[in-house]
Amino acid sequence: MEETNMEDCEQIRESEVAPALIAVHPAHKSVAVAVGLNLRVFNLQEGCSVPLVDDSGVHMHKDSIRAIRYGAEGKLFVSAGDDKLVKIWATDSWRCISSVSSEKRVTAVAISNDGHFVAFADKFGVIYAVEIEGYHENQTLPDKKAVPILAHYCSIITSLEFSPDGRYVISADRDFKIRVSVFPEKPSDGAHEIQSFCLGHTEFVSCLAFICSKDSQQWYLLSGGGDSTVRLWDFTCGFLLDTCHVGETELLQSKEGIDDSLLAVSDLCATPGGSLIAVAIQSYAGVLLLSCDLSAKSLHFARVVPIPGETFIPTSLAAASSSNQLWMVMGASTLYASDTSPLARVKVLYGFCESNQDSVEQETHVLEDKDLQGGEQLLQTLQGSSFIDKDALSTAAEAVKTAMCNLLIKKQYPSENREFRKRGRNDKKVNKKK
């Protein structure tokens, strides 16, 4: 029976699709795309692809990458995923300076703004911290062991953030919760103090982002979820300030072929001051823009930006604080341009900046491929191919819809499999030492 259960779990595992991810250096020096087990980086300053150097003893990623992140200063980059490895990269040389092992597959990563800690979450809801204080750019970190600091008890962590001041670690999960925990002075002691819970989503929480009021310098939290909402929070007390129901937007409701149940928020990205927020919708070919008035603590619909000429459903969004460009990627780990190159499609929205909150319709537009910084070489590097035909894009769009639909939906396992799965749960492990 156990062998059968293991086979069932492997079949479920193999059927999972990893959506493509994108991240941008905070100073707009480089852009990274992860699709499947491939990590691709393009140097925007020099206009060339970046060779990755991995001398950590474990060669690159061996399975789908589920999370990527630049540090606040851009000196560090972290990638992690289904191969249970968290790889820390120095972006001056793009060397992997450390590979940290996880007991389970990794679903989310975060880097503290001071660059002293990397946090990551595993498939069973346990969050770990790795201390990297004292890192020097030309130095490989000694072997680092991650320490568990808190757990959501078998609920997949969907998004993970350090608060900008480093006081809190914020974790969102598949069971509708956002937890704000005080980050401990000594991570080995655990994060036992809960500052607040942000409760209000009625489906899984898919993404988090911080925005700052220029007037008061106070930070607020944005969240998006499977209930088709974007929510604004005072996260220190867990108070819900406003909710924008993106699924009720008239322009989205008028789009033919979109099921209301598929209008989950898959990602969001805000300008530094938070006045403009880009929202990726699970089955919509384009991006939704919201305006945010932090003085009134309110969210408002601005416009829908379609992607002209092709079916493009963003799976990930990213922007640099120093640029007015929103980077978008669509792709899935099961789509291949060749036997070795998973497909991704990259697009850029120009005019994504604070000054455009009132004139967003006139000022924002999607750049054509020929106008992208880096041009054909950028597309070749990040997409796996400089040209992707419409049939491949249509196939990609359908694969992305399937991936996003299945990614955070709870799987129903046969009763005979539950005991087998419980034996591998982190929170059920017992110390066998006497």
mmCIF file of all heavy atoms in Angstrom, residues 109-131:
data_model
loop_
_atom_site.group_PDB
_atom_site.id
_atom_site.type_symbol
_atom_site.label_atom_id
_atom_site.label_comp_id
_atom_site.label_asym_id
_atom_site.label_seq_id
_atom_site.Cartn_x
_atom_site.Cartn_y
_atom_site.Cartn_z
ATOM 1 N N VAL A 109 10.364 33.187 -0.879
ATOM 2 C CA VAL A 109 11.613 33.676 -0.283
ATOM 3 C C VAL A 109 11.493 35.169 0.011
ATOM 4 O O VAL A 109 10.667 35.872 -0.584
ATOM 5 C CB VAL A 109 12.843 33.434 -1.194
ATOM 6 C CG1 VAL A 109 13.072 31.956 -1.428
ATOM 7 C CG2 VAL A 109 12.693 34.186 -2.514
ATOM 8 N N ALA A 110 12.336 35.652 0.927
ATOM 9 C CA ALA A 110 12.399 37.076 1.240
ATOM 10 C C ALA A 110 13.804 37.403 1.712
ATOM 11 O O ALA A 110 14.506 36.542 2.258
ATOM 12 C CB ALA A 110 11.372 37.453 2.306
ATOM 13 N N ILE A 111 14.229 38.656 1.503
ATOM 14 C CA ILE A 111 15.527 39.134 1.963
ATOM 15 C C ILE A 111 15.279 40.387 2.799
ATOM 16 O O ILE A 111 14.566 41.305 2.356
ATOM 17 C CB ILE A 111 16.457 39.490 0.779
ATOM 18 C CG1 ILE A 111 16.591 38.308 -0.190
ATOM 19 C CG2 ILE A 111 17.835 39.899 1.290
ATOM 20 C CD1 ILE A 111 17.364 38.639 -1.460
ATOM 21 N N SER A 112 15.830 40.439 4.004
ATOM 22 C CA SER A 112 15.655 41.628 4.833
ATOM 23 C C SER A 112 16.313 42.827 4.162
ATOM 24 O O SER A 112 17.315 42.687 3.444
ATOM 25 C CB SER A 112 16.239 41.399 6.231
ATOM 26 O OG SER A 112 17.633 41.158 6.162
ATOM 27 N N ASN A 113 15.763 44.008 4.382
ATOM 28 C CA ASN A 113 16.260 45.208 3.707
ATOM 29 C C ASN A 113 17.706 45.526 4.048
ATOM 30 O O ASN A 113 18.427 46.131 3.251
ATOM 31 C CB ASN A 113 15.367 46.406 4.051
ATOM 32 C CG ASN A 113 14.170 46.513 3.112
ATOM 33 O OD1 ASN A 113 13.860 45.563 2.396
ATOM 34 N ND2 ASN A 113 13.505 47.645 3.116
ATOM 35 N N ASP A 114 18.160 45.120 5.254
ATOM 36 C CA ASP A 114 19.557 45.362 5.612
ATOM 37 C C ASP A 114 20.494 44.293 5.051
ATOM 38 O O ASP A 114 21.715 44.373 5.206
ATOM 39 C CB ASP A 114 19.724 45.470 7.131
ATOM 40 C CG ASP A 114 19.272 44.210 7.871
ATOM 41 O OD1 ASP A 114 19.043 43.168 7.207
ATOM 42 O OD2 ASP A 114 19.139 44.269 9.113
ATOM 43 N N GLY A 115 19.913 43.276 4.378
ATOM 44 C CA GLY A 115 20.714 42.229 3.754
ATOM 45 C C GLY A 115 21.315 41.246 4.732
ATOM 46 O O GLY A 115 22.173 40.440 4.355
ATOM 47 N N HIS A 116 20.854 41.222 5.980
ATOM 48 C CA HIS A 116 21.436 40.338 6.992
ATOM 49 C C HIS A 116 20.789 38.957 7.033
ATOM 50 O O HIS A 116 21.381 38.012 7.549
ATOM 51 C CB HIS A 116 21.337 40.985 8.376
ATOM 52 C CG HIS A 116 22.210 42.182 8.544
ATOM 53 N ND1 HIS A 116 22.177 42.988 9.665
ATOM 54 C CD2 HIS A 116 23.140 42.730 7.724
ATOM 55 C CE1 HIS A 116 23.060 43.964 9.531
ATOM 56 N NE2 HIS A 116 23.652 43.830 8.353
ATOM 57 N N PHE A 117 19.535 38.861 6.526
ATOM 58 C CA PHE A 117 18.818 37.595 6.638
ATOM 59 C C PHE A 117 18.102 37.254 5.327
ATOM 60 O O PHE A 117 17.598 38.138 4.633
ATOM 61 C CB PHE A 117 17.777 37.646 7.761
ATOM 62 C CG PHE A 117 18.354 37.785 9.137
ATOM 63 C CD1 PHE A 117 18.464 39.039 9.723
ATOM 64 C CD2 PHE A 117 18.803 36.675 9.841
ATOM 65 C CE1 PHE A 117 19.009 39.183 10.986
ATOM 66 C CE2 PHE A 117 19.345 36.806 11.102
ATOM 67 C CZ PHE A 117 19.443 38.056 11.680
ATOM 68 N N VAL A 118 18.077 35.962 5.032
ATOM 69 C CA VAL A 118 17.219 35.403 3.989
ATOM 70 C C VAL A 118 16.211 34.503 4.688
ATOM 71 O O VAL A 118 16.578 33.707 5.557
ATOM 72 C CB VAL A 118 18.029 34.588 2.955
ATOM 73 C CG1 VAL A 118 17.092 33.796 2.044
ATOM 74 C CG2 VAL A 118 18.912 35.509 2.128
ATOM 75 N N ALA A 119 14.952 34.659 4.344
ATOM 76 C CA ALA A 119 13.910 33.790 4.881
ATOM 77 C C ALA A 119 13.285 33.019 3.728
ATOM 78 O O ALA A 119 13.205 33.521 2.601
ATOM 79 C CB ALA A 119 12.853 34.598 5.622
ATOM 80 N N PHE A 120 12.856 31.806 4.010
ATOM 81 C CA PHE A 120 12.146 31.035 2.991
ATOM 82 C C PHE A 120 11.103 30.147 3.650
ATOM 83 O O PHE A 120 11.198 29.820 4.837
ATOM 84 C CB PHE A 120 13.111 30.202 2.134
ATOM 85 C CG PHE A 120 13.862 29.120 2.864
ATOM 86 C CD1 PHE A 120 13.347 27.835 2.987
ATOM 87 C CD2 PHE A 120 15.103 29.379 3.422
ATOM 88 C CE1 PHE A 120 14.050 26.836 3.632
ATOM 89 C CE2 PHE A 120 15.815 28.395 4.085
ATOM 90 C CZ PHE A 120 15.287 27.115 4.192
ATOM 91 N N ALA A 121 10.088 29.797 2.869
ATOM 92 C CA ALA A 121 8.996 28.965 3.367
ATOM 93 C C ALA A 121 8.926 27.688 2.559
ATOM 94 O O ALA A 121 9.166 27.685 1.350
ATOM 95 C CB ALA A 121 7.671 29.715 3.267
ATOM 96 N N ASP A 122 8.584 26.584 3.239
ATOM 97 C CA ASP A 122 8.487 25.319 2.521
ATOM 98 C C ASP A 122 7.030 24.938 2.261
ATOM 99 O O ASP A 122 6.096 25.625 2.680
ATOM 100 C CB ASP A 122 9.261 24.208 3.242
ATOM 101 C CG ASP A 122 8.595 23.711 4.522
ATOM 102 O OD1 ASP A 122 7.411 24.015 4.762
ATOM 103 O OD2 ASP A 122 9.272 22.997 5.288
ATOM 104 N N LYS A 123 6.862 23.836 1.560
ATOM 105 C CA LYS A 123 5.553 23.399 1.087
ATOM 106 C C LYS A 123 4.572 23.133 2.225
ATOM 107 O O LYS A 123 3.362 23.205 2.047
ATOM 108 C CB LYS A 123 5.734 22.117 0.252
ATOM 109 C CG LYS A 123 4.511 21.651 -0.505
ATOM 110 C CD LYS A 123 4.335 22.397 -1.800
ATOM 111 C CE LYS A 123 3.242 21.785 -2.657
ATOM 112 N NZ LYS A 123 3.069 22.474 -3.925
ATOM 113 N N PHE A 124 5.086 22.835 3.421
ATOM 114 C CA PHE A 124 4.220 22.490 4.540
ATOM 115 C C PHE A 124 4.050 23.650 5.519
ATOM 116 O O PHE A 124 3.603 23.450 6.641
ATOM 117 C CB PHE A 124 4.753 21.245 5.252
ATOM 118 C CG PHE A 124 4.440 19.978 4.508
ATOM 119 C CD1 PHE A 124 5.259 19.553 3.476
ATOM 120 C CD2 PHE A 124 3.316 19.233 4.807
ATOM 121 C CE1 PHE A 124 4.969 18.405 2.776
ATOM 122 C CE2 PHE A 124 3.013 18.081 4.114
ATOM 123 C CZ PHE A 124 3.847 17.658 3.084
ATOM 124 N N GLY A 125 4.415 24.851 5.105
ATOM 125 C CA GLY A 125 4.090 26.017 5.895
ATOM 126 C C GLY A 125 5.092 26.411 6.946
ATOM 127 O O GLY A 125 4.811 27.275 7.782
ATOM 128 N N VAL A 126 6.291 25.814 6.937
ATOM 129 C CA VAL A 126 7.318 26.192 7.898
ATOM 130 C C VAL A 126 8.216 27.267 7.286
ATOM 131 O O VAL A 126 8.634 27.155 6.129
ATOM 132 C CB VAL A 126 8.159 24.968 8.323
ATOM 133 C CG1 VAL A 126 9.234 25.381 9.328
ATOM 134 C CG2 VAL A 126 7.261 23.903 8.942
ATOM 135 N N ILE A 127 8.506 28.300 8.063
ATOM 136 C CA ILE A 127 9.349 29.400 7.608
ATOM 137 C C ILE A 127 10.696 29.327 8.313
ATOM 138 O O ILE A 127 10.757 29.168 9.533
ATOM 139 C CB ILE A 127 8.670 30.753 7.870
ATOM 140 C CG1 ILE A 127 7.363 30.841 7.080
ATOM 141 C CG2 ILE A 127 9.596 31.910 7.482
ATOM 142 C CD1 ILE A 127 6.540 32.060 7.388
ATOM 143 N N TYR A 128 11.766 29.435 7.528
ATOM 144 C CA TYR A 128 13.135 29.335 8.027
ATOM 145 C C TYR A 128 13.866 30.652 7.797
ATOM 146 O O TYR A 128 13.515 31.432 6.903
ATOM 147 C CB TYR A 128 13.898 28.225 7.298
ATOM 148 C CG TYR A 128 13.350 26.837 7.498
ATOM 149 C CD1 TYR A 128 12.270 26.380 6.740
ATOM 150 C CD2 TYR A 128 13.922 25.962 8.420
ATOM 151 C CE1 TYR A 128 11.768 25.098 6.909
ATOM 152 C CE2 TYR A 128 13.432 24.680 8.603
ATOM 153 C CZ TYR A 128 12.352 24.253 7.844
ATOM 154 O OH TYR A 128 11.856 22.986 8.015
ATOM 155 N N ALA A 129 14.909 30.876 8.583
ATOM 156 C CA ALA A 129 15.764 32.047 8.398
ATOM 157 C C ALA A 129 17.220 31.610 8.309
ATOM 158 O O ALA A 129 17.640 30.663 8.972
ATOM 159 C CB ALA A 129 15.584 33.039 9.546
ATOM 160 N N VAL A 130 17.968 32.308 7.463
ATOM 161 C CA VAL A 130 19.401 32.071 7.308
ATOM 162 C C VAL A 130 20.110 33.398 7.522
ATOM 163 O O VAL A 130 19.786 34.393 6.866
ATOM 164 C CB VAL A 130 19.737 31.532 5.897
ATOM 165 C CG1 VAL A 130 21.238 31.286 5.766
ATOM 166 C CG2 VAL A 130 18.964 30.254 5.612
ATOM 167 N N GLU A 131 21.069 33.443 8.424
ATOM 168 C CA GLU A 131 21.801 34.673 8.679
ATOM 169 C C GLU A 131 22.968 34.795 7.706
ATOM 170 O O GLU A 131 23.759 33.863 7.552
ATOM 171 C CB GLU A 131 22.328 34.702 10.108
ATOM 172 C CG GLU A 131 22.975 36.030 10.493
ATOM 173 C CD GLU A 131 23.331 36.117 11.963
ATOM 174 O OE1 GLU A 131 23.089 35.129 12.693
ATOM 175 O OE2 GLU A 131 23.847 37.164 12.381
#
